[in-house]
Amino acid sequence: MNLTRTLPGAAFRFTRRRISQSIHATSAVIPSISGIPCIHRIPQDSHVFPHSAPLLSGFRKFTTSTTRQKILPFLLADIGEGTTEVEIIQWFVKPGDVVAQFDKLCEVQSDKAADNITSRFDGIVRKLHYKAGDMAIVGKPLVDIEVEGSEPASHAPAPQSLASAAPAKPQQSTTPKEAISADREKVDDILTTPAVRRIARERGIDLALVKGTGKGGRIMKEDVLNHSEISKASPTPVPSLAAKASKQPAGADTLVPLSPIQKAMFKSMTRSLAIPHFGFSDEVILDKLAAARESINAQLKIDPQDGLSKITYMPFFIKALSLALEKYHLLNALVVEEEGKGPQLLYRAQHNVGMAMDTPNGLVVPSIKNVQSLTILDIAREIERLKVLGAKGALTSSELTGGTITLSNIGNIGGSYLHPVCVTSEVCIGAIGAIKRVPQFQGDSDRVVARKVVAVSWNADHRVVDGATMARFVGVWRRYLEKPELMLTVLS
């Protein structure tokens, strides 16, 4: 029968043609037992399967589809409002590593938030465009990833015999994912914050040599500092006179770039200088609020609420602020300046209260959203949650944006009267000083009694807020704190 059979599963695509009298051979497609079509060559003078000759005239041309690798640049997307650059804190991959979609590529620090950048492709890392510590530009390539692509090959004439056609070999993956280098595993094993990594980098300390004392072996700032002191105390070889001469003398001037958070503060405060501020200060007597807080904490100690066993004064300050805003909406507004329309005021329904927070990365201001709908215990829980994230350097852009008014507590560090600065997205900011026990006259009598008093400093945008409105607003806020039972009459 003189049949020549090709291997089933070959990567060919055949095209049927009209029957032509000039064809020198005919072909028939015979289904195989397994259901995979097999191509058989039938000579012109053959009478095998004569009934199939009228059906097909044979193949004329075929096309092949070859697999080739393409290198795609992975562009750094904007991860925050107005962000133009981010600092590369650490890489989780290196050239040659195999990555899949959603695998972590690197950790970056934007204006005030640390984020992990994940892969959008399956492939092999071919190039890192930045080193740890570099500033990466939004919209520019961050890493090159080699991915598998498919490109059709040009049409080719059919061979005289299919017997010589070699079967297409499936392309083997370059490296299995399990073979990712030990260096990447080593990086992933180090638990710490971006700020601690920066301190270690500035001091030339290998974090792999530092023993972490935090939860789960996390390396804390104190661990790095202690390791640095131990290293200094260890005996070292005496350097030569030439080596000593080449070193900078102690106390030499050093020029260093601003950190991402300092850059954000620089830009924000520079814009804020265009706002004409006016200040207002007052004192609040906290004796009754202190008694109410003590009673609440005694109950929480017996019966904790969702892990909350103690609250500070801050939830009361923030809730009272929201209640005062219900009467003075202006202090929660936003100045909108659109070209051709003139300045306008946007009155915002949500009370998103910003709260300055001292973290290992620097000063950040996350906001507690929708305070008008929260209870005092809800606010306390949210404060604790934000503190935990801030300590880890894990606050996200959504938590660091959207504030409508700010109330910061600097008193836990020290100081009484301050001069806070309004940002362009708000018209009012308050700063709470340290709570002090001071002597005061009791009413109109000459009797002197001890009081718990806190000084509060306010600043407002004088373009839209006048002094009388500010004084009345602060008066309502102070009244809720000095007589906390009044809050019960307005809480829903």
Side-chain angles (χ1 to χ4, degrees):
M1 291 169 51
N2 191 23
L3 297 181
T4 304
R5 180 167 178 168
T6 62
L7 291 175
F12 297 109
R13 185 170 66 251
F14 293 94
T15 326
R16 294 182 179 180
R17 292 280 191 174
R18 297 176 60 87
I19 298 177
S20 173
Q21 296 299 327
S22 62
I23 298 305
H24 298 291
T26 58
S27 298
V29 179
I30 305 174
S32 67
I33 296 176
S34 62
I36 302 176
C38 303
I39 307 303
H40 293 262
R41 195 65 150 160
I42 305 175
Q44 186 178 10
D45 58 351
S46 174
H47 297 287
V48 178
F49 309 119
H51 59 279
S52 64
L55 299 178
L56 294 173
S57 64
F59 66 92
R60 294 293 178 271
K61 294 182 180 181
F62 65 88
T63 59
T64 63
S65 185
T66 59
T67 302
R68 73 166 190 165
Q69 304 300 104
K70 295 189 298 185
I71 294 180
L72 298 179
F74 183 101
L75 303 183
L76 177 62
D78 188 356
I79 60 176
E81 296 181 0
T83 300
T84 58
E85 60 182 8
V86 296
E87 180 183 0
I88 304 294
I89 301 301
Q90 62 174 324
W91 284 100
F92 300 118
V93 297
K94 70 178 191 307
D97 283 351
V98 176
V99 294
Q101 293 184 54
F102 308 113
D103 279 359
K104 291 192 297 183
L105 298 178
C106 63
E107 181 182 11
V108 300
Q109 175 77 46
S110 60
D111 286 350
K112 292 186 178 181
D115 291 283
N116 287 326
I117 303 298
T118 58
S119 176
R120 296 195 295 269
F121 311 116
D122 298 334
I124 304 171
V125 176
R126 288 305 181 198
K127 180 180 179 181
L128 307 181
H129 287 269
Y130 301 95
K131 298 181 294 184
D134 288 350
M135 299 302 296
I137 307 301
V138 170
K140 298 295 183 181
L142 180 68
V143 60
D144 289 347
I145 300 178
E146 184 178 295
V147 300
E148 205 172 71
S150 184
E151 179 177 296
S154 59
H155 289 277
Q160 293 299 319
S161 173
L162 293 178
S164 60
K169 296 181 179 179
Q171 184 169 353
Q172 301 294 326
S173 60
T174 306
T175 309
K177 188 155 185 183
E178 293 78 8
I180 295 176
S181 64
D183 290 340
R184 176 176 172 183
E185 295 173 0
K186 181 179 178 182
V187 171
D188 287 336
D189 287 342
I190 298 176
L191 299 176
T192 188
T193 64
V196 174
R197 293 183 189 278
R198 186 179 296 110
I199 294 173
R201 186 167 62 250
E202 292 171 353
R203 295 171 179 257
I205 296 174
D206 184 358
L207 287 174
L209 304 178
V210 180
K211 183 178 180 181
T213 60
K215 185 177 181 180
R218 181 179 294 274
I219 297 176
M220 312 300 289
K221 176 181 177 181
E222 294 76 13
D223 299 329
V224 175
L225 297 178
N226 291 338
H227 183 86
S228 177
E229 294 300 323
I230 294 173
S231 300
K232 289 179 181 179
S234 302
T236 55
V238 179
S240 63
L241 293 177
K244 286 183 178 180
S246 65
K247 292 183 178 180
Q248 283 188 333
D253 296 341
T254 305
L255 184 65
V256 297
L258 297 180
S259 69
I261 287 182
Q262 288 174 322
K263 287 182 179 179
M265 190 182 301
F266 183 92
K267 295 175 184 177
S268 176
M269 292 299 102
T270 300
R271 291 192 297 265
S272 295
L273 288 177
I275 300 174
H277 286 61
F278 83 90
F280 183 89
S281 298
D282 202 356
E283 292 182 345
V284 182
I285 299 174
L286 298 178
D287 290 342
K288 289 187 176 181
L289 182 61
R293 171 178 169 265
E294 184 177 346
S295 177
I296 293 173
N297 282 338
Q299 181 62 30
L300 288 176
K301 187 176 181 180
I302 300 172
D303 182 21
Q305 300 292 314
D306 294 332
L308 193 66
S309 59
K310 183 180 180 181
I311 61 174
T312 64
Y313 287 100
M314 202 62 186
F316 296 97
F317 294 155
I318 292 175
K319 188 60 183 180
L321 181 69
S322 176
L323 295 175
L325 289 176
E326 295 289 353
K327 295 186 177 182
Y328 294 93
H329 306 287
L330 174 62
L331 280 302
N332 197 52
L334 168 68
V335 177
V336 178
E337 297 180 85
E338 295 183 8
E339 188 175 351
K341 292 186 178 181
Q344 299 173 292
L345 278 174
L346 175 64
Y347 285 87
R348 297 178 284 197
Q350 292 183 338
H351 299 168
N352 300 337
V353 181
M355 182 180 65
M357 191 176 291
D358 184 33
T359 72
N361 288 341
L363 181 70
V364 295
V365 188
S367 59
I368 302 172
K369 305 295 193 296
N370 294 308
V371 173
Q372 77 280 356
S373 302
L374 301 180
T375 67
I376 290 174
L377 292 184
D378 291 336
I379 297 170
R381 277 188 287 268
E382 183 65 3
I383 290 174
E384 291 305 312
R385 186 185 73 85
L386 294 174
K387 282 183 178 179
V388 171
L389 292 177
K392 295 178 180 178
L395 289 167
T396 63
S397 298
S398 62
E399 289 156 339
L400 292 167
T401 56
T404 60
I405 188 171
T406 298
L407 183 62
S408 298
N409 182 10
I410 198 67
N412 53 1
I413 298 176
S416 297
Y417 294 94
L418 303 98
H419 184 72
V421 179
C422 284
V423 294
T424 54
S425 59
E426 300 174 6
V427 299
C428 181
I429 183 173
I432 300 169
I435 298 175
K436 297 180 179 180
R437 191 167 181 265
V438 298
Q440 281 192 352
F441 287 109
Q442 187 177 30
D444 296 331
S445 69
D446 293 336
R447 184 185 176 191
V448 177
V449 296
R451 302 284 194 196
K452 282 189 175 181
V453 176
V454 62
V456 185
S457 306
W458 300 85
N459 263 335
D461 185 342
H462 211 352
R463 297 175 299 175
V464 293
V465 181
D466 58 72
T469 301
M470 190 70 192
R472 293 188 183 101
F473 165 74
V474 175
V476 173
W477 176 74
R478 185 187 66 242
R479 193 154 50 249
Y480 282 131
L481 296 177
E482 292 185 340
K483 299 179 179 180
E485 65 273 12
L486 292 180
M487 282 196 260
L488 298 176
T489 64
V490 291
L491 290 176
S492 56

